[in-house]
């Protein structure tokens, strides 16, 4: 059994920041991640982040991951348990973490859960054919392992993930056939990214959906069509795309299994990506020993995840009796709300309001 | 055919030691630091398993250990996630054709 004050689950931007602020407050922290390497999904981001300088603005994602991991590894109060996935949580604040070979029991007074999100799937003919991948999977292969899973790509979804993926594919020397979106306007992508991709000759096709992909053992062709007002495909508008990968960037959903296991109430909030653990602005859930930060609490992005992590780490330490500077919490909260003033956060704010309003927790 | 990125404006992929894995009886070159999935895909192998009842080909989907699209028989152990399992010298890798029985 490993005993710790605060266990942080997930070593992405939210988790690493939570571990750091809890440890800086004097708590003993155990940071658990199922991968052998810290960084979460930051490690596959080659673009520079927006936001505040002290939250890594102007720094490329993978470098930000390295910087945070170095701070985590250097902190005497933080122990890491890598290659282990927390698969069980019990009412007496014990947890079970398993690797492929082995398992360990953990007793943690507080748990900050930063499990992130999983890629969504959409329906179309043969959507299980190899070559249909989550956008994140393409990023992982090309930016972490240096492997391009195909030569020509169709990207479905013009949000941040889809548009950034298109740019990253061009950087890696691949051909991007098109980025399509079922909506009549660009998804939640930063305008500068979208403009850059279009300048490089990638068509952004709006009001268009995938009907199916075809090939024997691998995608050889994708067929798309325009959609009408009722979102039904319009006959005669089909386009045949000679591509070997169709990357789905159609949204993410929070990974909430552990919250459900720990009796945290979850709410269905589409604006936040689906089921999310009910939580307040400090990361409290309906279980007094369980906190949430990052995409696990609602899909946003790395800057808000890291601020949320810093807040939850401080709050968990404070509630264990460690001396915490209240001003620091307030400062992070102000940073969070000023970041969310951007119009891209409108939907998220509505979702948060609905989640809190729905609840009598 | 190599799918390994040779040049990149931002990232560097230092050539790590080459090792050999055995895929369905065939020797393949992998690089230290690869996962089983990245090594297979670099070698042009996209079908990682069959679906359980209809036996349709399945490939990599999430690459981060969340879905079950890449379950393979690795060193004789079925239901192993190829996307999060690091390669090692001489490792045997087979496509999973069924539910997978413990050896």
């Amino acid at each position: 059994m490993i005993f710790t004050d605060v266990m942080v689950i997930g070593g992405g931007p939210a988790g690493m920041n939570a571990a750091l602020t809890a440890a800086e407050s004097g708590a003993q922290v155990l940071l658990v991640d199922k991968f052998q390497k810290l960084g979460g999904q930051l490690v596959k981001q080659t673009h520079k982040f927006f936001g505040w300088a002290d939250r890594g603005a102007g720094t490329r994602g993978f470098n930000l991951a390295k910087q945070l991991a170095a701070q985590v590894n250097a902190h005497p109060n933080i122990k890491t348990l890598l290659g282990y996935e927390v698969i069980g949580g019990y009412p007496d604040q014990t947890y079970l973490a398993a690797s492929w070979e082995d398992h360990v029991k953990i007793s943690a007074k507080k748990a900050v859960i930063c499990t992130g999100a999983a890629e969504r799937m959409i329906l179309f003919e043969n959507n299980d054919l190899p070559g249909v991948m989550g956008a994140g999977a393409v990023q992982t292969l090309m930016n972490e392992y240096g492997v391009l899973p195909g030569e020509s790509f169709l990207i479905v979804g013009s949000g941040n993930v889809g548009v950034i993926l298109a740019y990253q594919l061009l950087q890696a020397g691949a051909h991007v056939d098109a980025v399509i979106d079922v909506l009549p306007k660009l998804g939640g992508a930063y305008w500068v990214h979208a403009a850059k991709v279009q300048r490089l000759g990638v068509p952004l096709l709006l009001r268009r959906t995938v009907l199916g992909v075809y090939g024997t053992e691998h995608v050889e062709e994708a067929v798309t069509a325009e959609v009408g007002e009722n979102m039904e495909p319009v006959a005669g508008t089909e386009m045949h795309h000679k591509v070997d990968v169709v990357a789905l960037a159609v949204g993410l959903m929070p990974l909430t299994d552990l919250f459900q296991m720990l009796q945290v109430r979850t709410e269905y909030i589409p604006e936040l990506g689906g089921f999310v653990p009910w939580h307040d602005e400090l990361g409290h859930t309906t279980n007094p020993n369980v906190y949430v930060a990052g995409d696990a609490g609602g899909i946003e992005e790395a800057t808000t995840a890291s601020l949320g992590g810093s807040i939850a780490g401080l709050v968990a330490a404070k509630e264990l009796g460690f001396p915490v500077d209240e001003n620091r919490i307030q400062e992070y909260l102000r940073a969070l709300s000023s970041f969310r003033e951007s119009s891209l956060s409108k939907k998220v704010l509505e979702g948060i309001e609905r989640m809190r309003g729905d609840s009598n927790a | 055919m190599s799918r390994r990125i040779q040049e990149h404006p931002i990232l560097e992929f230092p050539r790590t030691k080459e090792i050999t894995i055995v895929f369905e009886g065939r020797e393949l070159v992998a690089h230290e630091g690869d996962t089983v999935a990245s090594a297979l895909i670099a070698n042009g192998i996209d079908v990682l398993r069959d679906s359980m009842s209809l036996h349709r080909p399945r490939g990599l989907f999430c690459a981060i250990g969340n879905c079950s699209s890449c379950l393979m028989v690795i060193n004789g152990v079925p239901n192993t996630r190829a996307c999060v399992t690091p390669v090692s010298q001489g490792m045997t890798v087979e496509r999973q054709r069924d539910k997978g029985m413990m050896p």
Side-chain angles (χ1 to χ4, degrees):
Chain A
M1 183 89 88
I2 304 175
F3 291 88
T4 186
D5 295 323
V6 177
M7 172 176 61
V8 177
I9 305 173
M16 287 195 288
N17 278 295
L20 284 167
T21 57
E24 285 158 9
S25 310
Q28 292 297 318
V29 176
L30 178 72
L31 176 56
V32 190
D33 194 284
K34 69 180 169 188
F35 285 92
Q36 301 290 342
K37 183 162 101 178
L38 289 172
Q41 306 315 311
L42 271 181
V43 299
K44 59 196 189 193
Q45 300 308 340
T46 55
H47 62 282
K48 294 177 181 172
F49 277 83
F50 299 136
W52 281 273
D54 68 349
R55 283 291 150 178
T59 306
R60 298 186 193 278
F62 64 96
N63 283 327
L64 199 55
K66 273 188 210 157
Q67 289 165 12
L68 282 167
Q71 288 177 45
V72 165
N73 289 326
H75 205 290
N77 284 7
I78 305 178
K79 287 192 177 68
T80 57
L81 182 64
L82 300 178
Y84 283 79
E85 188 167 355
V86 177
I87 58 167
Y90 305 92
D92 61 349
Q93 288 134 267
T94 59
Y95 299 85
L96 184 67
S99 73
W100 198 244
E101 278 88 30
D102 171 30
H103 65 269
V104 289
K105 288 182 229 168
I106 298 162
S107 171
K109 294 176 192 151
K110 300 282 187 189
V112 183
I113 302 183
C114 312
T115 42
E119 212 105 38
R120 276 182 187 284
M121 188 69 187
I122 51 171
L123 292 177
F124 53 84
E125 194 174 4
N126 298 325
N127 66 1
D128 61 341
L129 196 62
V132 176
M133 288 185 198
V138 177
Q139 290 186 324
T140 299
L141 276 176
M142 84 175 154
N143 294 342
E144 266 193 271
Y145 300 103
V147 174
L148 269 174
E151 286 168 17
S152 183
F153 293 73
L154 176 72
I155 299 173
V156 183
S158 71
N160 247 336
V161 175
V163 169
I164 286 170
L165 174 65
Y167 189 63
Q168 293 179 349
L169 280 164
L170 297 172
Q171 283 178 329
H175 176 252
V176 182
D177 185 90
V179 178
I180 68 166
D181 201 303
V182 76
L183 294 174
K185 62 182 177 86
L186 199 64
Y190 284 109
W191 179 83
V192 282
H193 291 149
K196 211 170 190 176
V197 166
Q198 276 181 299
R199 257 199 325 273
L200 291 166
V202 176
L204 285 181
L205 308 175
L206 300 173
R207 279 191 192 281
R208 186 163 276 278
T209 190
V210 197
L211 299 181
V213 296
Y214 306 93
T216 46
E217 290 215 310
H218 190 284
V219 174
E220 291 161 30
E221 184 187 63
V223 178
T224 64
E226 269 181 36
V227 293
E229 291 303 323
N230 55 359
M231 290 285 161
E232 289 295 316
V234 177
T237 61
E238 292 85 1
M239 277 175 75
H240 295 255
H241 307 259
K242 289 282 166 224
V243 293
D244 47 6
V245 176
V246 173
L248 301 181
V250 291
L252 298 164
M253 51 188 175
L255 288 169
T256 56
D257 316 48
L258 278 172
F259 296 104
Q260 287 164 358
M261 205 181 289
L262 291 161
Q263 313 288 311
V264 169
R265 201 175 66 232
T266 56
E267 310 256 354
Y268 185 73
I269 310 288
E271 295 90 334
L272 298 179
F275 279 98
V276 293
W278 181 92
H279 59 281
D280 67 10
E281 59 177 4
L282 300 175
H284 291 115
T285 67
T286 57
N287 177 331
N289 298 312
V290 176
Y291 304 75
V292 58
D295 275 3
I299 307 302
E300 268 191 277
E301 46 73 74
T303 307
T304 51
S306 70
L307 287 165
S310 298
I311 294 167
L314 286 172
V315 173
K318 181 180 138 188
E319 286 164 9
L320 283 171
F322 292 96
V324 165
D325 179 2
E326 188 65 35
N327 290 327
R328 233 181 125 188
I329 299 177
Q330 292 308 322
E331 188 191 314
Y332 291 139
L333 282 171
R334 274 195 301 275
L336 198 54
S337 62
S338 104
F339 190 87
R340 285 177 177 152
E341 276 166 20
S342 143
S343 63
L344 291 177
S345 294
K346 193 167 164 273
K347 207 176 75 170
V348 167
L349 287 172
E350 284 167 11
I352 291 172
E353 198 180 324
R354 212 143 69 72
M355 169 186 72
R356 303 225 170 109
D358 269 7
S359 153
N360 15 9
Chain B
M1 174 184 72
S2 179
R3 287 167 159 184
R4 293 202 189 262
I5 298 169
Q6 306 298 325
E7 273 180 69
H8 196 286
I10 292 164
L11 297 170
E12 282 174 32
F13 301 107
R15 282 282 160 254
T16 52
K17 205 177 126 199
E18 287 191 358
I19 57 171
T20 307
I21 60 170
V22 183
F23 170 70
E24 312 235 297
R26 198 173 123 204
E27 287 194 355
L28 297 179
V29 175
H31 292 234
E32 233 167 42
D34 265 334
T35 60
V36 173
S38 70
L40 291 178
I41 290 174
N43 280 282
I45 293 159
D46 299 310
V47 181
L48 306 179
R49 67 173 298 194
D50 286 353
S51 67
M52 264 188 275
S53 51
L54 297 178
H55 299 284
R56 289 165 64 90
R58 288 281 161 85
L60 189 72
F61 181 73
C62 82
I64 53 171
N66 287 337
C67 75
S68 52
S69 197
C70 71
L71 298 182
M72 300 188 82
V73 185
I74 298 179
N75 281 338
V77 183
N79 296 318
T80 308
R81 294 175 293 189
C83 72
V84 291
T85 305
V87 291
S88 57
Q89 175 61 34
M91 178 178 256
T92 65
V93 178
E94 273 136 58
R95 287 182 178 133
Q96 187 162 321
R97 311 274 181 195
D98 52 21
K99 276 192 285 194
M101 304 293 282
M102 287 313 281

